Amino acid sequence: MQDPKRSNEPLVWLLFGAGTTISAILFPVLILAICFLIPFNLISGEQAMKTLYYFIHCWYGKIILLGVLVLPVWGALHRIHHGLHDLKIHLPASGAIFYGLAGLFSVLAMFAVF
């Protein structure tokens, strides 16, 4: 009996799902706050910036910021990778290119955040 071939697809789909979920839930709230609430003085911009500053500089805030930065990139690059397949555009080693870029961005974001 042959052993089943191992795949990295479950891990990639986990990152894709988490990234698109974060994008769908969090980005509209950020756009609302940054584009409408703060400029029209519906919330205090100074107080919001102080709160955000203190949140980003604690350890759990850094982890959340890292997730907000990295996971949508994984979701977007996974979507681009499979979108190119759907359009019958086959790049050599496209999985390595797109997932490598996502991994590189993840490492760079980790250094920037921490």
Side-chain angles (χ1 to χ4, degrees), residues 4 9 17 20 51 53 57 62-63 65 68 81 100-102 112:
E9 208 56 31
T20 53
T51 304
Y53 177 81
H57 284 85
K62 290 181 181 185
I63 292 173
L65 177 64
V68 168
H81 170 67
L101 283 173

Side-chain angles (χ1 to χ4, degrees), residues 17-69:
T20 53
T21 301
I22 285 175
S23 298
I25 293 173
L26 197 60
F27 287 174
V29 175
L30 289 173
I31 291 170
L32 175 69
I34 293 170
C35 295
F36 297 106
L37 297 179
I38 293 174
F40 293 122
N41 290 327
L42 298 173
I43 59 174
S44 170
E46 185 177 326
Q47 183 61 36
M49 295 307 288
K50 282 183 186 178
T51 304
L52 184 61
Y53 177 81
Y54 290 123
F55 177 72
I56 288 175
H57 284 85
C58 63
W59 66 271
Y60 56 86
K62 290 181 181 185
I63 292 173
I64 291 171
L65 177 64
L66 187 65
V68 168
L69 291 173

